Amino acid sequence: MTWVGKPLKRIEDEALLRGRGRFIDDMDPVPGAYHAAVVRSLYASALITGIDTSAALASPGVLGVVTGRDVADMTKPFPAAIDTPVAYMAAAVDEVRYAGEPVAVVVARDRYLAEDAAEKVVVDYERRTPLLTPLDALESGSVASDRSFVYGDPVERLSEADLVVRHSFTFPRWTGAPMECFGVVADWSPGEEALTVWTNFQGPFTLHTVAAAALGLTRSKLRLITPEDSGGSFGVKAGVYAYVVLMGAVSRKLGVPVRWIEDRLEHLAASGASTERVTEITAGFTSSGELISLHYDNVEDVGAYVRAPEPATLYRMHGSLNGGYKVRDISARNRVVLTNRCPTGLNRGFGGPQLYFALEGTMAIAAARLGIDPAVVARRNLVEADEFPYTTPSGAIYDSGDYPACLDDVLTVSGYADRRHMQADARKEGRWVGIGIACVVEPSVSNMGYISLAATPDERAASLPKSGNTEGATIAMSPTGGVVVQISTTPQGQGHRTVASQVVADRLGLEPGDIEVVSVLDTHVNAWSIASGNYSSRFAGIGSAAIAKAATELADAIKTLAADELECSVEDVELRGGKAVVKGAPDAAVSLRRIAGRAHWNAESLPAGVSPGLRFTSFVSAPNLAAAADDDTIASSAAHGFVADVAVVEVDRDTGSVTILDYTSTHDAGTLLNPRLVEGQISGGFVHGAGVALLERLVYDEDGNLITSSFMDYLCMTATEVPPLRSSHIETPSPFTALGAKGLGEGNTMSTPVAIANAVRDALGIEKVELPLTPPRVWELLEAMP
Amino acid sequence: MKPPVVDYARANSVAEAVDLLGRYGDESKVLAGGQSLIPMLNMRFAFPTMLIDINHIKETSSVEVHEDVVVIGATVRQSGAQLSREVQSHVPLLAQALPHVGHFVTRNRGTIGGSVVHADARGEVPLVLATLGGQVVVVSASGRRTIEAADLFVTHFTTSIADDELLVETRWPAPGRSWGYAFREFSLRHGDYALGMVACSVHREGGVVQEASVALGAVADRPVVLKEVAASLVGKPLNEPAAVAAGKVVTESVNPSSDLHASDRYRRHLAGLLTKRALLAAWADSGGDLS
Amino acid sequence: MDVSVTVNGYVYEEAVAPRLLLSDFLRHTLGLTGTHVGCEHGVCGACTVIVDGTSVRSCLMLAVQVDGSNVRTVEDLADGADLHPLQSAFHDNHALQCGFCTPGILMAAVDFLEESDSPTREEITEMLSGHLCRCTGYASIVESIHLVSRREGTKE
Ligand code: FES
Ligand code: FES
């Protein structure tokens, strides 16, 4: 490989640096589109007893007002993986279930006028008492799903345990808060009964099916087009599909194209959030620290509705209930509850932060109780290098790795032993320094079938088995030898176009700069499938594989043509320097331009096996993902990276501030496609993880109103709060992905919150910590200490 | 998040602004730096019918040093004051506080006068004005008057400046040698509203405190000047025990409320802690011996 | 109201409503979509542009306020094919991912480096704390600005 693996600079940068990016609000795909403003519920729970739109309709520049009732007349409830007790519609009809829920849409000449009119829509509410926490919801019986899973015999093993840790962990609601909010331009074609929508949606394209179903459209009548650029997502923009339906219905009702650009207040209140999860762990350990029995009792708040793909947050990690450990006897009870808060959805780490906050927290607590160094406890339990591929109790197939080597590496790089000495010295001086460890398995390339675990095996039997994870790509060579690649991975800053150019350049013997990569996904044009899009870190594992396959097909066609031209066998042809060359005879060569010219200009002359056009579309799917089995096991992801972290913190006893003195993270993400981009992903994922550890949380008042409703109160990490990060790598290529690569952008969002929490546990000698660890909350912990 | 319908007038002189204020009164809002006002418009928390833009008034855009007072015109930018040599050498307390006001870019636009008039109880600039016992000068059709800082801040976002009055200058006492100053605040992120904030000045003579001023922000609906605490320092060296004692009094006497980010208990604790730290720093700044 | 303003060296004469935000004016009236909008309440910094030589939040100004002014946006930074040194440094150090925050940070940094001769890393970090970036984790941005600040002859 000449290019893959190189720290190439990005081809995306040139346009973005010049302000020439093309984000949704930079585009005017349908001239004359009207602007929408959404009227939103003021209450977390209320009946709608009346809506008066007359004043709004009379407001200047207003074209129309579409109410939830109107929307309901044109749409159906969104389907979800489990039967939901309450139907989820694109707008509320008779009842609002969270503050910020769409109630009506005002459409006007511009957004200013639309907002003026939106204020004049009078909605009468009859307020009810909202449910605001997972445990309140549980108590009130607001349970949407209740499933139990047993692998091995955890009860029996627990009775053999020397130490039982029972602890309740709560992972808070937070959000990725991408810098660009949602955007939708919807254009309904009357007569054709078809909808075209431009939107910064990010997949998974299963949600295209969900949106089409809600609109009552067959798939080909819903055309989604994503812009070239998207201003971050971190999962959140999967949720834009609900507005695809809402604005689609509005466009249909009013007969005009409609443009809706979400503002920040709307985004924080109503776009989505991570789940809040309460996990009661029961874990059994031997006296030497071996984890022998593990039970999770999960109560997962998905908000006001089960919004697809929820309850996926609870199942995305299902294959990895054991984390990186050898424990074989595991059980879990998963209850999904509904509250009166914004529906949840994808958020960086997706289920991982919640799972590991409980599991790795338990490991730290056990180590402290046993008086054994947590690194020793982790080491004792990690799956060994010679056990791969390793099938976990709940069915994941861990493809490759050397977890002990990763842990050893992070201990070495962080200077762990010295740190422990420094910690002891600091304690003597009265300083509260703590060290936390986290070891996490980071899955990537989801099996879309994992969500079917939310249904029982009998319920599953009634429908089509699901294991979708397919990705597609298209490559074409123009008559002059230019190469254009179309990807279906809807990047939001990850640099997919750059990596695609590297992958293709290697296969065609060109330079990355010779390759044009288009990231626009048009469902009428691109090669896509239900799993397409950008989530669960699927680009490295499978997006790149689809591109590699398409490029290989093109390369094979070129070689066949070249062999014909050079009168040699296909096997003797290699592509390099823009030419097809006979191996060992560098003078025998023909330019790609000439070959492309022939393919396009003289199709009649093409040798057998080469079809005209030089355009190839390829799909790939992971070899190791099957539908959920009757014993409730599932290979929930194709590839599994590993992350081992050491966090060193100091707690200021005066202010409660937690300062990260040092943070080291070792990753094994298989083959690194572009180390430069890898560092960017790790750094960003780390800061997200540190954010929820130290600052970020969505907070609601007792009426269910979001009080962290703007960027003044929702505290994103800024440059001054970001702790230092050192990263290090081990590469054990995945046997299940074409290039050996695994996802890596989510790992630190899974590991960092709990590594920091464990460090604070260690510093203070306590077990109970809640995120985020803001100074006032840590100070309260200190005050409560004996 | 778009501002509601509003009219706009640009005043090119104090006279023009006063005239506009006289005409529109409480229907209008003076638009200075806009770093607080425009967000309120964008969020539709405020609905003035007229914005009177004073950014182009030249008369109010300078910093002048008089005998014992520094006069900062109403439209001097926060960044301008921060970089001003006059402010740095004569009102060091303000110079210390300004880096905590918002961020580099917002300080480029935000004005000293605007911060004072906005009267946010968590504002650094009002706190410094209160600590130093400064004044503001306001002008209306009926003339010019001076308001003492002590009489200026009424409650959250409210001053004693009338609807038809325009703040034209802020006046900052500039005492001589042997004064020390310190500003301390604690916020969750740099540039955020503080959870606790203390400003103090100390006049040292003969190894003891001759005079002092201590004020707290973010603990009440306006800056709180703690005269008794200041008085208790006089006549003694400001050593660790003295500072600790003052901090303790502060913790016991302030009455902040809980909010999203911190409990009242925490804020009270923080007020005491920051008082202690600020006093020691001010004493050191005055040339005092810390041992 | 009529506004006459020079933006990136071109004079524009436009009639606008008094309440039109400068950010919307630049983006939608003039089509200069390089300036981004991430919050419209002055926190994120994505909308930062330079007005009369000083960096400001364009979401916190009205278009009518720049009547008679000179405005510079990210579209004006590069000199034809040549990127501004800050742009090059961002490219070289992978200081952008989605690029949504980037224009605002660049404009603030341009102003900042004109003001401070040789800022320390801490000063750069503090300046940058007025800008949110959710992708990069900031370190590469600090690094880029720091590198440019230490190179000679890069000031304009
Ligand atoms: S859009 Fe102006 S600061 Fe965020
Ligand atoms: S690069 Fe995406 S927000 Fe900064």
Side-chain angles (χ1 to χ4, degrees), chain A residues 111-112 115-116 119 263 265 654-655 657 695 699 708 711 713 715-716 718 720-721 775-776 779-780 783, chain B residues 1-5 39 43-44 47 186 188-190 192-193 195 260-263 265-266 269-270 273 277:
Chain A
R111 173 78 183 210
Y112 290 73
E115 288 191 21
D116 293 347
E119 290 193 322
D263 68 34
L265 299 185
D654 284 336
T655 60
S657 297
L695 280 175
V699 185
T708 49
F711 271 162
D713 287 319
L715 306 179
C716 298
T718 72
T720 37
E721 281 69 50
W779 184 80
E780 302 286 348
E783 287 290 287
Chain B
M1 291 189 73
K2 306 294 181 191
V5 174
M43 294 190 191
R44 299 200 176 207
F47 295 88
F186 185 83
L188 293 178
R189 297 177 304 181
H190 180 80
D192 274 352
Y193 287 119
L195 302 181
L260 159 65
H261 296 301
S263 67
R265 272 161 36 92
Y266 182 77
H269 159 78
L270 196 61
L273 178 73
R277 290 181 179 176

Side-chain angles (χ1 to χ4, degrees), chain B residues 252-268:
Chain B
E252 282 158 10
S253 59
V254 295
N255 218 346
S257 42
S258 300
D259 73 357
L260 159 65
H261 296 301
S263 67
D264 52 345
R265 272 161 36 92
Y266 182 77
R267 286 169 185 277
R268 216 176 292 134

Side-chain angles (χ1 to χ4, degrees), chain A residues 138-194:
Chain A
L138 187 63
E139 214 159 274
S140 309
S142 179
V143 179
S145 163
D146 182 353
R147 286 225 61 206
S148 290
F149 304 86
V150 182
Y151 307 100
D153 194 348
V155 174
E156 174 62 24
R157 297 306 307 276
L158 193 68
S159 68
E160 300 159 13
D162 301 315
L163 167 72
V164 175
V165 174
R166 268 200 190 84
H167 194 88
S168 176
F169 298 86
T170 301
F171 198 85
R173 251 185 187 241
W174 67 301
T175 177
M179 289 311 304
E180 181 202 36
C181 296
F182 291 177
V184 170
V185 181
D187 187 22
W188 177 263
S189 309
E192 292 170 273
E193 304 302 293

Side-chain angles (χ1 to χ4, degrees), chain C residues 15-147:
Chain C
V16 301
R19 63 168 161 167
L20 183 69
L21 295 173
L22 176 58
S23 47
D24 284 336
F25 175 75
L26 293 170
R27 291 180 47 77
H28 300 304
T29 310
L30 304 188
L32 295 168
T33 53
T35 299
H36 296 154
V37 165
C39 73
E40 293 182 296
H41 52 277
V43 180
C44 77
C47 66
T48 302
V49 300
I50 294 181
V51 173
D52 296 329
T54 307
S55 55
V56 299
R57 304 280 206 236
S58 65
C59 75
L60 298 188
M61 278 185 79
L62 304 174
V64 289
Q65 289 188 276
V66 297
D67 182 26
S69 288
N70 202 313
V71 178
R72 240 187 127 192
T73 69
V74 69
E75 284 93 340
D76 195 44
L77 278 190
D79 183 4
D82 299 331
L83 293 177
H84 183 281
L86 275 165
Q87 290 172 312
S88 299
F90 273 51
H91 179 56
D92 293 345
N93 294 288
H94 191 30
L96 68 157
Q97 291 184 23
C98 77
F100 200 79
C101 66
T102 313
I105 294 176
L106 286 172
M107 298 316 282
V110 164
D111 181 26
F112 176 74
L113 292 186
E114 272 168 25
E115 222 168 75
S116 0
D117 260 345
S118 43
T120 62
R121 216 170 259 275
E122 286 64 43
E123 286 167 333
I124 293 169
T125 303
E126 214 163 289
M127 179 282 287
L128 191 58
S129 71
H131 295 261
L132 299 182
C133 172
R134 294 296 271 176
C135 297
T136 62
Y138 303 108
S140 56
I141 302 178
V142 173
E143 180 65 18
S144 302
I145 299 174
H146 196 226
L147 282 172

Side-chain angles (χ1 to χ4, degrees), chain A residues 383-420:
Chain A
V383 172
E384 302 291 340
D386 60 8
E387 295 183 84
F388 291 94
Y390 181 85
T391 302
T392 69
S394 44
I397 304 162
Y398 288 176
D399 40 327
S400 64
D402 187 341
Y403 299 171
C406 260
L407 177 60
D408 288 346
D409 184 77
V410 80
L411 297 178
T412 307
V413 176
S414 66
Y416 183 75
D418 289 344
R419 298 265 170 203
R420 284 288 178 204

